[in-house]
């Protein structure tokens, strides 16, 4: 089975050391004795807690950051460098999230710089793309998403491109509980694959994972991930519950969410 990804974007949540500790303890407990194969679990906390996560995350969970800057060092107040991320062993970084595009006015060009900076330092970008509700109404969703892909992968070699994880997150489905149809997600998967295949050829495009994000919860995984043949999910709110995170990982890993630990250990 092809490897899947479950990425928890904790956003600006877990707002204290004690909440963070609580989360890490609960996550360890939830994962204990559970078999999760074929799924890379990534958790991306706020940058202020990256170091703590780095020390305490269970070993079968990878660390992700929520953003990175393209310059290596210097007078860039509030920014986080790739060296800082490497120092805390963050193997992934979310880039171009729609909340960064919205609140920090991040452009497609800047997203591209960040993707290249991360790849250069061997950190895997989780590149977010997605259209607004207005784009969709105007019938330009596919053009918007293809354009975002082209800009983000500009000057990225085929070998490096395979290190990128793309996350399709329609902006209107984020934090809204508005749930897209499987067919619409699948259509956008094809749009993304086509844009990548034009740049790199179909076999490289085949190897670039494409995740879905936006109001994901365990009960919707078939519709949002498995039926539209996505390679995993990028999860916001539900990732704040370690129990749900692990249930989702098991679901997309093919174990079903209700198997008991005992039956897993015996199988
Ligand atoms: P929600 O799962 O809370 O809708 O957030 C999705 C998201 O933005 C993940 O990056």
């Amino acid at each position: 089975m092809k490897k899947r990804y479950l990425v928890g974007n904790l956003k600006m949540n877990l707002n204290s050391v004690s909440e963070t500790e609580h989360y890490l303890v609960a996550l360890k407990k939830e994962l204990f004795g559970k078999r999760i194969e074929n799924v890379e679990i990534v958790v991306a906390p706020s940058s202020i807690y990256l170091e703590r996560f780095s020390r305490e995350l269970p070993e079968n969970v990878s660390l992700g950051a929520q953003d990175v800057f393209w310059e290596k060092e210097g007078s860039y107040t509030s920014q986080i460098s790739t060296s800082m991320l490497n120092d805390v062993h963050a193997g992934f970084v979310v880039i171009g999230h729609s909340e960064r595009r919205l609140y920090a006015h991040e452009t497609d060009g800047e997203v591209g710089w960040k993707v290249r900076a991360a790849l250069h330092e061997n950190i895997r970008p989780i590149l977010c793309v997605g259209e607004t509700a207005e784009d969709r109404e105007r019938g330009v969703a596919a053009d918007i998403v293809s354009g975002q892909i082209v800009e983000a992968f500009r000057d990225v070699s085929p070998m490096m491109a395979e290190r990128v994880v793309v996350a399709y997150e329609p902006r209107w489905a984020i934090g809204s509980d508005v749930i897209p149809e499987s067919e619409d997600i699948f259509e956008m998967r094809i749009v993304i694959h086509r844009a990548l295949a034009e740049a790199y050829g179909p076999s490289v495009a085949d190897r670039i994972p494409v995740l879905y994000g936006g109001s994901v919860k365990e009960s919707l995984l078939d519709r949002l991930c498995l039926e539209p043949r996505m390679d995993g999910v990028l999860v916001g709110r539900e990732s704040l519950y370690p129990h749900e995170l692990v249930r989702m990982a098991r679901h997309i890993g093919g174990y079903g969410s209700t198997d008991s630990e005992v039956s897993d250990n015996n199988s």
Side-chain angles (χ1 to χ4, degrees):
M1 189 178 120
K2 208 173 159 194
K3 177 162 128 180
R4 294 213 170 97
Y5 294 80
L6 177 79
V7 184
N9 176 7
L10 303 182
K11 306 195 180 183
M12 199 175 72
N13 293 299
L14 305 185
N15 280 288
S16 64
V17 169
S18 72
E19 273 187 58
T20 303
E21 276 303 315
H22 203 261
Y23 184 88
L24 283 161
V25 168
L27 185 57
K28 258 182 243 171
K29 200 167 132 221
E30 287 299 334
L31 282 166
F32 184 76
K34 301 230 170 70
R35 205 169 64 178
I36 297 173
E37 283 168 14
N38 294 319
V39 180
E40 171 119 30
I41 305 177
V42 182
V43 176
S46 155
S47 60
I48 205 159
Y49 297 126
L50 278 169
E51 211 252 327
R52 185 170 288 264
F53 267 72
S54 172
R55 274 188 277 121
E56 296 182 27
L57 262 186
E59 60 184 27
N60 48 356
V61 179
S62 302
L63 182 62
Q66 295 182 14
D67 191 27
V68 70
F69 197 54
W70 56 83
E71 295 290 353
K72 278 181 168 304
E73 62 181 339
S75 303
Y76 305 104
T77 302
S78 91
Q79 303 292 357
I80 293 163
S81 71
T82 48
S83 314
M84 293 172 188
L85 295 190
N86 269 329
D87 213 29
V88 294
H89 310 291
F92 292 83
V93 58
V94 176
I95 294 178
H97 192 279
S98 67
E99 286 149 15
R100 294 280 317 159
R101 295 179 191 257
L102 180 64
Y103 299 117
H105 309 292
E106 200 162 287
T107 64
D108 286 346
E110 289 167 349
V111 168
W113 294 341
K114 291 182 175 193
V115 166
R116 288 191 291 281
L119 287 170
H120 198 256
E121 296 300 325
N122 209 18
I123 301 168
R124 295 188 68 184
I126 299 167
L127 165 70
C128 300
V129 296
E131 80 285 359
T132 63
E134 297 80 62
D135 296 332
R136 187 155 274 268
E137 265 162 40
R138 285 172 41 231
V140 295
D143 295 339
I144 295 289
V145 170
S146 305
Q148 291 170 344
I149 293 282
V150 168
E151 283 301 321
F153 280 85
R154 192 176 292 286
D155 298 326
V156 173
S157 70
M159 210 175 79
M160 288 293 205
E162 290 183 22
R163 306 271 303 146
V164 180
V165 177
V166 175
Y168 168 57
E169 295 205 306
R171 286 201 201 183
W172 45 273
I174 294 177
S176 63
D177 291 320
V178 179
I179 313 300
E181 296 298 329
S182 298
E183 298 76 42
D184 292 335
I185 298 172
F186 184 60
E187 234 171 67
M188 205 52 92
R189 197 207 198 299
I190 293 172
V191 166
I192 291 167
H193 186 272
R194 193 177 300 134
L196 292 170
E198 270 169 26
Y200 300 110
S203 55
V204 171
D206 283 349
R207 288 197 286 272
I208 299 175
V210 184
L211 320 186
Y212 168 80
S215 297
V216 172
K217 53 172 111 163
E218 201 265 344
S219 58
L220 293 171
L221 282 174
D222 290 342
R223 168 166 166 182
L224 297 178
C225 178
L226 303 183
E227 281 159 23
R229 294 199 247 153
M230 304 303 270
D231 301 303
V233 280
L234 175 53
V235 186
R237 287 159 294 166
E238 289 289 300
S239 68
L240 293 171
Y241 307 103
H243 172 71
E244 291 302 323
L245 196 74
V246 173
R247 257 163 52 102
M248 287 187 276
R250 285 157 64 78
H251 190 141
I252 62 172
Y255 281 97
S257 57
T258 52
D259 294 354
S260 72
E261 283 173 34
V262 176
S263 65
D264 279 348
N265 292 338
N266 289 344
S267 59

